[in-house]
Amino acid sequence: MSFNGIPVRLQGFVSNRPPDQLAQWFHQKMGEPLMDDRIGNKRVLGRLQDDAYITIEIEAQAKGSRGLVAVTLMSEIPKNQKKNEELNQYWLSKMPPGSRLLQQVLSQDGKRYSVHLTFSNTYSAGVNRDAVLRALKNEAYELEDGPATKSASVNSGSQQALYFNGKNKQAIALVKRVETGSSIVVLNLITSLEQIK
């Protein structure tokens, strides 16, 4: 998985130990120096070990704790930078001028490759919907017909989900106008790896 251009491996876990006791166990196993912080209701530990930065989030649950381990290989970050920049610029060019990319997540699950992009801008939901329709049509996606896609524009203050299909690929777009007066566009593009080859 890649998050905002940074490759990362994620693994969830559960434990019957309470968070503070579990954090102490990680302190003993991982050694020092170890970053230890609280963010909201989570305990966050972090340590650079060889080429990997390991982050552990721990939070309480009904019986013990649950957590998430993230491992980032530092040497992989520069290798992916150019490819991620190109991907970001490509999709930003499809959005209305002045759009900002808020988040990029790339992941692979078996033979399915997913690109998840979140954009923000000050245009109406209708302008953003039209931009999404043009962009995905150019990528050989077809809009599925259904109640959510029949109207030509989206009323201000609402949201609309659009579903697309293509050969060995699917896409979902969410267009939403938020209270601050800006619009959020979320694109999730799922492609079969056979299609990428």
Side-chain angles (χ1 to χ4, degrees):
M1 169 181 274
S2 171
F3 183 78
N4 289 340
I6 300 174
V8 61
R9 292 183 192 163
L10 299 174
Q11 178 69 54
F13 65 89
V14 293
S15 171
N16 57 6
R17 296 182 185 193
D20 288 341
Q21 193 179 95
L22 190 58
Q24 187 58 38
W25 182 85
F26 276 113
H27 267 275
Q28 291 170 356
K29 292 292 179 185
M30 294 176 72
E32 298 294 337
L34 184 68
M35 182 277 294
D36 190 340
D37 200 1
R38 291 184 188 275
I39 301 174
N41 61 346
K42 294 178 183 176
R43 184 99 176 251
V44 181
L45 309 174
R47 174 176 165 79
L48 182 63
Q49 189 167 325
D50 299 324
D51 183 43
Y53 193 84
I54 303 166
T55 306
I56 302 163
E57 288 185 3
I58 305 167
E59 64 181 317
Q61 64 174 8
K63 294 182 179 178
S65 306
R66 67 179 173 191
L68 183 70
V69 177
V71 179
T72 302
L73 295 177
M74 306 304 282
S75 61
E76 293 296 313
I77 294 173
K79 295 178 188 175
N80 293 325
Q81 256 178 344
K82 185 177 179 187
K83 181 180 169 185
N84 285 307
E85 277 291 318
E86 289 171 355
L87 179 70
N88 293 346
Q89 289 307 314
Y90 178 78
W91 283 103
L92 269 170
S93 73
K94 305 292 183 184
M95 295 294 110
S99 295
R100 292 185 308 125
L101 179 67
L102 301 180
Q103 186 180 74
Q104 177 217 71
V105 179
L106 309 176
S107 64
Q108 183 179 333
D109 182 13
K111 293 185 176 182
R112 290 163 66 90
Y113 178 73
S114 175
V115 176
H116 184 96
L117 303 164
T118 305
F119 302 93
S120 173
N121 60 50
T122 57
Y123 293 88
S124 70
V127 168
N128 280 291
R129 178 187 188 275
D130 292 345
V132 167
L133 290 172
R134 278 192 306 274
L136 293 182
K137 183 179 179 182
N138 289 339
E139 296 294 318
Y141 286 92
E142 290 185 12
L143 180 64
E144 286 187 10
D145 193 25
T149 61
K150 285 190 183 294
S151 62
S153 63
V154 182
N155 293 330
S156 178
S158 67
Q159 70 180 26
Q160 186 175 27
L162 306 169
Y163 301 88
F164 300 83
N165 273 310
K167 186 178 179 183
N168 297 318
K169 58 187 180 180
Q170 300 170 311
I172 300 170
L174 176 68
V175 180
K176 180 176 182 169
R177 190 78 173 163
V178 293
E179 291 177 3
T180 59
S182 61
S183 290
I184 301 293
V185 178
V186 179
L187 288 180
N188 193 20
L189 312 167
I190 302 166
T191 309
S192 161
L193 287 180
E194 286 87 352
Q195 177 72 10
I196 294 173
K197 291 177 183 176

